[in-house]
Amino acid sequence: MKNHRFNWLTWTVLGVVALAAGVLAIVFRSDNALAGDGSLLNVSYDPTRELYQDYNSAFSKYWKGKSGQNISVRQSHGGSGKQARSVIDGLEADVVTLALAYDIQEIAERTKLLPDNWQSRLPNNSAPYTSTIVFLVRKGNPRNIKDWPDLIKPGTVVVTPSPKTSGGARWNYLAAWGWALKQNGGNEAAARDYVTKLYKNVPVLDSGARGATITFVKHGIGHVLIAWENEALLAINEMGKDNFEIVTPPVTILAEPPVAILDKNVDKHGTRAAAEEYVRYLYSEEGQDIAAKHYYRPRSTAVFAKYASRFPTVQTFTIDDVFGGWNKAQKTHFADGAIFDQIYQPK
Amino acid sequence: MSATAAQVQRRTLPGFRLTMGFTLLYLALIVLVPLSGLFGKTKALGLGEIVTALTQPRVLAAFRLSLGAAVVAAIIDSAAGLLIAWVLVRYTFFGKRIIEALIDIPLALPTAVAGIALTTAYSENGVIGRHFAAHGIQVAFTQLGVTVALVFVGLPFAVRAVQPVLADIEIELEEAAHSLGATRGQIFRRVTFPLVLPAIVSGGAQAFARAVGEYGSVVFISGNMPMKTEIVPLLIVTKLEQYDYAGATALAATMLLLSLGMLILLHRLQGAIQVGGHP
């Protein structure tokens, strides 16, 4: 009697497990089948949502003409670091288009889905479009903010997210550091002093770039928001030119959001040809035009000239020039106990 | 004789083995296996590293805030929950259904949306915040703001735990007390309150548990200042952002153990009150 009932229980449990496994198998099979039929997954970061909506439909049309294949591109958006972790944890992206090369490097190091030299596989460090770091101020620029030194004046309230949690904020921080370093002929101590004073003027550290924009725009906190140029242009066009102005400092950093295909995934899905063309076509005239429309600076000089009124001339420096690449910048500035922690930790 | 006993047992818990099997399997798939993975990842760190990670002043400050604000919020929610449940159970009035629905909003609303809304309302120039600011009190971007967010997310638990118990109390008990000459205050203190106390504690425990893990609504209103307004879930996210999986899981596992311990303690307390209150 006892044995009989135990068997019954065993069979039920096994049944439930088998059923669950069956369901999972079907889900995953259909997912892969879909990919084989001409679908790409582009894992990207937050502010590129509209850019890739436009680009995807343009690319599908172009790819249909070129190869006769129908391709649909699925999009996934979120914080850049969070998106990279999803890929590391197994989200089968064909293409990643993230905010920092550091995030793609981590994918390469931790998963071997793409080779270590991924950044040299496409022109311009694999960054088809760029942006810079600018200041968003309130209409009329009441504090008369023109350049980096204005941000550390006593009483100036600066809004920028935490570089510990936001990839975009790391560009802001490095822009400030790099500028200060250039002013003092490479004097690290002076740069550190400048950045310390700057962050003394930051009363709120939002966890992400969108949160910081909300703090500045909606809650009316602060005199100046440090932001990506494309985000600032977007904010101005959404919230109205009557309320805000963009101030472009004469010297700032060149933000290069990179793109890459994930070799192991595209080979598994049989999507290599389409995926390679997907990232390469970003450099075409049409791709560059779409990027410029969405406020990213195009690499193509011809397209740049067309949108020149939108993008004031600035002198820029890169991460590689000043910081020796992302890995080094990350270790020196943002790791636990590194410079940012030292300067921002109140006693 | 034993056959009858077995029969009775079967009637009280039909299909015990089957349901128990399902319960264990389900818990394993949904809760136990994923959470034990948490401890697995922590193993990458040595005990020394875990201790160092946990005893940094910044981490300790975050634990103090996360647990402290959660306790304060749970106490406020318990008191407010009793009051609100009382009004809803004992009175009928116009718009009662709307209030019933309003109470559950914190459960349904995405927490980030709640966070942005709370920050907007409580920031210096917000609808509510400006009145506090007029008296020199800043709510948003302070520990007070964190507590407000935690009170918000915990409220439904406190109300919903007390409400059915209050509704079940037979009015005859209070009438009997009244006929014996008890004042309204005495009736509440001696009759009603002891009956709902276990439910209040249980609701408070749920509100506490929810508050300890809350992330979305707090990151916006807290301002995330190290040593001052950083909560532990934010530090976990910070570590993940640096791909420090082991460090993040060390914090997460500690948080899990602390909450589990607190919940067990509260359940015991609740049991003790129940035994004491119901001889």
Side-chain angles (χ1 to χ4, degrees), chain B residues 77-164:
Chain B
D77 275 333
S78 302
L82 173 63
L83 205 70
I84 293 170
W86 183 273
V87 169
L88 289 177
V89 168
R90 291 296 163 96
Y91 305 98
T92 37
F93 50 89
F94 179 74
K96 184 170 165 177
R97 290 194 166 200
I98 295 173
I99 291 190
E100 285 270 6
L102 277 178
I103 288 167
D104 285 334
I105 278 187
L107 288 180
L109 202 64
T111 51
V113 175
I116 292 172
L118 284 171
T119 315
T120 309
Y122 282 94
S123 71
E124 248 168 273
N125 55 2
V127 201
I128 307 171
R130 78 165 73 110
H131 300 292
F132 283 93
H135 296 92
I137 302 169
Q138 208 197 339
V139 183
F141 314 121
T142 65
Q143 301 193 341
L144 184 60
V146 175
T147 314
V148 168
L150 296 184
V151 166
F152 175 85
V153 296
L155 184 66
F157 298 99
V159 176
R160 296 300 180 216
V162 175
Q163 214 176 354

Side-chain angles (χ1 to χ4, degrees), chain A residues 242-290:
Chain A
D242 309 336
N243 300 321
F244 302 100
E245 287 176 20
I246 292 176
V247 174
T248 309
V251 178
T252 184
I253 202 164
L254 185 70
E256 298 179 288
V259 303
I261 65 162
L262 301 176
D263 299 64
K264 280 205 180 143
N265 287 348
V266 296
D267 287 343
K268 186 168 156 196
H269 303 156
T271 50
R272 179 177 276 276
E276 277 180 351
E277 195 58 27
Y278 182 81
V279 289
R280 210 176 297 135
Y281 194 63
L282 283 166
Y283 292 87
S284 73
E285 189 168 339
E286 187 178 21
Q288 293 283 291
D289 196 71
I290 292 171

Side-chain angles (χ1 to χ4, degrees), chain B residues 184-267:
Chain B
R184 298 192 82 166
Q186 278 175 325
I187 293 172
F188 181 76
R189 271 204 318 279
R190 297 270 179 84
V191 180
T192 321
F193 188 69
L195 288 173
V196 291
L197 186 58
I200 295 173
V201 173
S202 152
Q206 289 171 49
F208 169 80
R210 171 69 196 268
V212 166
E214 180 60 21
Y215 175 74
S217 59
V218 183
V219 282
F220 290 99
I221 204 168
S222 71
N224 309 321
M225 317 287 287
M227 306 297 290
K228 277 186 264 169
T229 58
E230 261 182 355
I231 50 166
V232 180
L234 179 84
L235 285 186
I236 295 174
V237 172
T238 303
K239 293 210 178 279
L240 285 176
E241 209 63 37
Q242 299 161 30
Y243 301 97
D244 179 6
Y245 285 80
T249 40
L251 283 188
T254 312
M255 200 75 164
L256 183 71
L257 289 177
L258 272 175
S259 321
L260 199 64
M262 286 257 194
L263 284 179
I264 290 172
L265 205 74
L266 278 164
H267 278 285

Side-chain angles (χ1 to χ4, degrees), chain A residues 125-201:
Chain A
N125 284 328
S126 291
Y129 41 80
T130 66
S131 193
T132 52
I133 301 303
V134 300
F135 310 143
L136 193 66
V137 297
R138 300 186 192 285
K139 188 73 189 174
N141 196 359
R143 312 264 318 179
N144 197 24
I145 289 162
K146 293 254 164 63
D147 199 355
W148 292 100
D150 300 322
L151 302 189
I152 59 165
K153 283 184 182 155
T156 302
V157 178
V158 181
V159 177
T160 175
S162 165
K164 303 280 283 186
T165 48
S166 157
R170 268 170 243 167
W171 285 109
N172 298 354
Y173 171 102
L174 295 174
W177 186 282
W179 171 83
L181 202 61
K182 283 189 173 291
Q183 299 318 297
N184 297 290
N187 185 339
E188 288 271 339
R192 188 188 175 114
D193 184 53
Y194 172 79
V195 173
T196 306
K197 282 190 185 130
L198 173 62
Y199 278 90
K200 281 238 159 64
N201 282 348

Side-chain angles (χ1 to χ4, degrees), chain A residues 5 9 12 16 81 84-85 102-103 106 110 164-165 170 203-205 207 219 221 334 336 341 344-346, chain B residues 10 17-18 21 25 58 116 119-120 123 125 141 220 223-227 238-243 245:
Chain A
R5 211 181 291 162
L9 173 67
T12 317
V16 170
R85 284 196 303 281
Y102 176 68
D103 289 326
E106 285 292 321
R110 282 162 194 272
K164 303 280 283 186
T165 48
R170 268 170 243 167
V204 175
L205 282 180
S207 60
H219 302 156
I221 287 176
F334 309 121
D336 277 343
D341 277 354
Y344 200 72
Q345 189 118 223
Chain B
R10 210 174 303 158
R17 280 155 198 263
L18 179 61
L25 178 71
R58 184 171 170 192
I116 292 172
T119 315
T120 309
S123 71
N125 55 2
F141 314 121
F220 290 99
N224 309 321
M225 317 287 287
M227 306 297 290
T238 303
K239 293 210 178 279
L240 285 176
E241 209 63 37
Q242 299 161 30
Y243 301 97
Y245 285 80

